[in-house]
Amino acid sequence: YAELCKKSNDLKNLSNAYINMGWIIQLLGDDELAYKHYDRALQIAQLGGYSFETAKAYSLLAGWYTNKKDFSKAKDLLFKAIAINEKNLPDENHQYYLAANYNQLGIVFEDEGNYSDALKYLNLSLNLFKDIGDTKVVSEVKERIDRVYGKQKITEKF
């Protein structure tokens, strides 16, 4: 698919192809090759001026950095994705990924032990997913909020 996109100079779908290949490669356990595909997807999306694909590549790269425990880089990339998605509202794709980015940012703050910021972004995510009507994800985010709230209460005792 990527080769067909290259031949037809279809940068938007080429970026998506690299995103999908990176995701599959990461699932197979080759983090370094996955990173290269995500980074290539980002470069192509930026070259073509495709905001959704750019934001999506930022999100996937942020997840990659989160797995590496580089929370500072993950947050930087997530804030870039959030800015793009907020700018492109009310587009439903951007709205969904904005909710997902808030959730992802909440997870990064939780991993850092910054529970107040984690709760802030998880609640933003929850409200957007409620607006979207994704009840499955709403339930998952509620569980995450409860877990983080519990961690915050424990740390406040000490």
Side-chain angles (χ1 to χ4, degrees):
Y1 183 66
E3 290 303 318
L4 289 173
C5 292
K6 285 179 189 176
K7 287 179 183 175
S8 64
N9 201 29
D10 182 352
L11 295 180
K12 184 175 186 173
N13 285 314
L14 181 58
S15 176
N16 280 310
Y18 275 99
I19 286 170
N20 291 332
M21 286 186 292
W23 183 71
I24 291 167
I25 291 166
Q26 190 169 13
L27 289 175
L28 294 172
D30 191 341
D31 286 346
E32 299 311 312
L33 187 56
Y35 176 88
K36 290 177 183 177
H37 281 75
Y38 294 150
D39 189 55
R40 186 71 180 128
L42 176 61
Q43 292 172 21
I44 293 166
Q46 289 175 324
L47 178 68
Y50 302 113
S51 61
F52 181 69
E53 288 72 17
T54 299
K56 197 171 177 182
Y58 279 140
S59 299
L60 289 164
L61 283 165
W64 189 90
Y65 279 104
T66 300
N67 290 341
K68 299 293 182 190
K69 307 292 186 211
D70 187 343
F71 301 127
S72 177
K73 185 67 175 172
K75 288 186 296 187
D76 178 57
L77 292 166
L78 284 169
F79 282 123
K80 288 179 180 181
I82 286 168
I84 291 168
N85 286 320
E86 286 177 339
K87 182 180 176 184
N88 288 283
L89 292 177
D91 178 278
E92 65 186 32
N93 288 325
H94 285 283
Q95 184 181 23
Y96 188 88
Y97 273 88
L98 178 60
N101 290 151
Y102 285 151
N103 184 58
Q104 193 175 358
L105 191 55
I107 292 168
V108 171
F109 278 118
E110 177 188 3
D111 288 349
E112 278 186 324
N114 182 342
Y115 302 128
S116 61
D117 281 341
L119 289 169
K120 172 186 169 182
Y121 286 101
L122 290 172
N123 278 302
L124 287 170
S125 174
L126 177 66
N127 291 331
L128 273 176
F129 278 123
K130 281 181 180 177
D131 290 347
I132 293 167
D134 192 331
T135 55
K136 180 181 183 290
V137 178
V138 165
S139 177
E140 291 170 4
V141 175
K142 281 182 179 180
E143 288 176 19
R144 187 167 293 118
I145 289 170
D146 289 343
R147 183 184 69 233
V148 172
Y149 184 72
K151 288 179 178 180
Q152 184 181 44
K153 287 298 175 195
I154 290 169
T155 59
E156 287 174 355
K157 288 182 181 181
F158 298 102

